[in-house]
Amino acid sequence: MKYLDKLINNLRKRDLTLIQFEQILKNADTFFDNIELEKELLLSNGCPLCIDDKVILKTKITDIKDQTFCVVDIETTSGKVQTGQMIEIGALKWKNGKIIEKYESLVNAKDIPKKVQEITKITPDMLHNAPNIQTVLEEFKIFLEDDLFVAHAISFDYKFISDSFEKYDLGKLCNRKLCTIDLSKRLIQTERYGLKYLKEHLNINIDGHHRAYSDALSTAYILQDCLDILPDEIKTTENLIDFSKS
C-alpha cells in the first residue's frame, strides 16, 4: 500500500469527494484491482476513514477527549520478524483518562534467547501452553480496530506488529500512530526519555518493567500526563500527532 502516505496527506489537508478518493486508488499500485475491495482492505487494516459521499480522515475531526487510544507494548525474541517473533503483547484502550478495554497474551515460542529471558523474566515453560502467534495476531487485530496506535518508541512496536501481520497474511497496519517519546519531548523536561526514566520522573509506580502489559499501562499514564498539559490550541487527534512530530 505504497499510496497510503499520499492518501493520508491529502486527507489531512482536505476532505475528498468519493470520486477524488476512487481516482487516487485507480492511479495507485493497489493490492486489489477492484476499488471496492481496496476500500475494504484499507478499513480492515485500521485506516481511520469515514467513507460516504465524502471521504474524511477520522483523526482530523475527532476531539482528543473523544479519541480511543490503543496503547501497546510487545516483548520479542529479536528486533526483526525475519529472525524472531513476539512472545508477549499487552494493550489497553485508553479514553478520557480511563481504561475501557484491555488485551494481553503470552505467545507460544520454541526458543527464547537467554538475554531476553533475563530482561523479561519470560521463560520457555511460561510459553508452553500459550496460544500460537497467528491466533494472537488475529485477536489483536480485532481488538485494535481503527484506533490510534500508541507506543513508547513506536517505530519498533508498530513495525514489528505490521511486519508480523504481513508474514501471517493478515494485511498490514494502516492505523494512525503516536509515539509517547516524541510527545513527552515536547512537553516534559527531563534528561532522558526512556520508559524507566520517565516513570521515575513522573512518579508512575507500576511494577513489571519489560513485561508487555505493565509497560503499556505505564505508557498510558505518560500519555495522560502529556495530554493534561497540552497547549489549548491542540484540539483534535491529528493536531496531537502533528504536535508530537514538530
Side-chain angles (χ1 to χ4, degrees):
M1 306 179 82
K2 296 178 181 178
Y3 65 87
L4 184 61
D5 288 343
K6 179 181 178 181
L7 174 64
I8 295 299
N9 285 334
N10 278 324
L11 287 168
R12 288 175 67 246
K13 296 172 186 173
R14 65 188 186 284
D15 300 339
L16 298 176
T17 66
L18 195 55
I19 293 173
Q20 289 171 324
F21 174 66
E22 290 180 347
Q23 194 61 46
I24 289 174
L25 296 187
K26 284 178 183 177
N27 293 335
D29 182 16
T30 55
F31 186 82
F32 291 111
D33 292 332
N34 184 291
I35 295 297
E36 292 304 316
L37 288 177
E38 193 68 22
K39 287 183 199 174
E40 290 302 317
L41 183 64
L42 279 168
L43 296 174
S44 69
N45 284 346
C47 194
L49 302 178
C50 293
I51 301 177
D52 200 349
D53 294 333
K54 285 186 175 181
V55 180
I56 301 169
L57 186 64
K58 288 183 185 178
T59 48
K60 194 177 74 171
I61 60 170
T62 302
D63 287 343
I64 292 170
K65 63 181 176 59
D66 298 321
Q67 178 66 52
T68 300
F69 300 87
C70 187
V71 188
V72 183
D73 186 79
I74 58 175
E75 303 300 334
T76 67
T77 59
S78 170
K80 295 181 179 180
V81 168
Q82 293 83 353
T83 55
Q85 70 156 76
M86 190 166 64
I87 54 173
E88 187 178 39
I89 183 168
L92 57 97
K93 300 286 187 83
W94 186 266
K95 187 175 182 180
N96 255 334
K98 295 180 180 178
I99 299 170
I100 59 173
E101 199 174 351
K102 69 178 184 177
Y103 177 81
E104 58 179 319
S105 182
L106 291 166
V107 185
N108 189 276
K110 292 181 179 179
D111 299 304
I112 309 175
K114 289 292 184 185
K115 184 176 181 181
V116 174
Q117 292 185 49
E118 291 170 3
I119 293 172
T120 64
K121 305 297 186 289
I122 297 172
T123 65
D125 286 345
M126 293 169 63
L127 304 185
H128 183 67
N129 293 317
N132 64 44
I133 183 69
Q134 177 101 21
T135 298
V136 172
L137 290 171
E138 288 173 354
E139 290 176 350
F140 175 69
K141 185 167 187 175
I142 293 169
F143 175 83
L144 176 61
E145 300 178 299
D146 66 354
D147 294 332
L148 186 70
F149 188 112
V150 180
H152 207 68
I154 198 163
S155 58
F156 174 74
D157 299 80
Y158 192 95
K159 186 177 188 309
F160 199 99
I161 292 175
S162 187
D163 288 348
S164 298
F165 279 171
E166 288 193 274
K167 181 177 179 178
Y168 291 94
D169 298 321
L170 296 172
K172 64 180 295 182
L173 283 176
C174 294
N175 298 67
R176 300 295 285 144
K177 57 184 183 287
L178 175 72
C179 180
T180 46
I181 289 182
D182 291 343
L183 186 61
S184 59
K185 284 181 177 178
R186 294 297 321 275
L187 295 164
I188 299 168
Q189 288 193 346
T190 184
E191 291 183 0
R192 300 182 182 182
Y193 291 88
L195 188 63
K196 179 180 178 181
Y197 298 101
L198 277 176
K199 283 172 64 177
E200 292 174 359
H201 182 76
L202 298 171
N203 296 314
I204 297 171
N205 298 312
I206 296 172
D207 294 330
H209 188 54
H210 285 305
R211 290 302 301 269
Y213 186 77
S214 294
D215 284 355
L217 183 58
S218 297
T219 300
Y221 279 106
I222 292 169
L223 170 67
Q224 190 59 49
D225 279 348
C226 289
L227 296 180
D228 288 342
I229 55 175
L230 268 180
D232 291 340
E233 65 268 20
I234 310 300
K235 303 290 187 184
T236 69
T237 305
E238 203 60 37
N239 291 158
L240 179 64
I241 295 169
D242 286 342
F243 176 78
S244 72
K245 294 177 179 179
S246 61

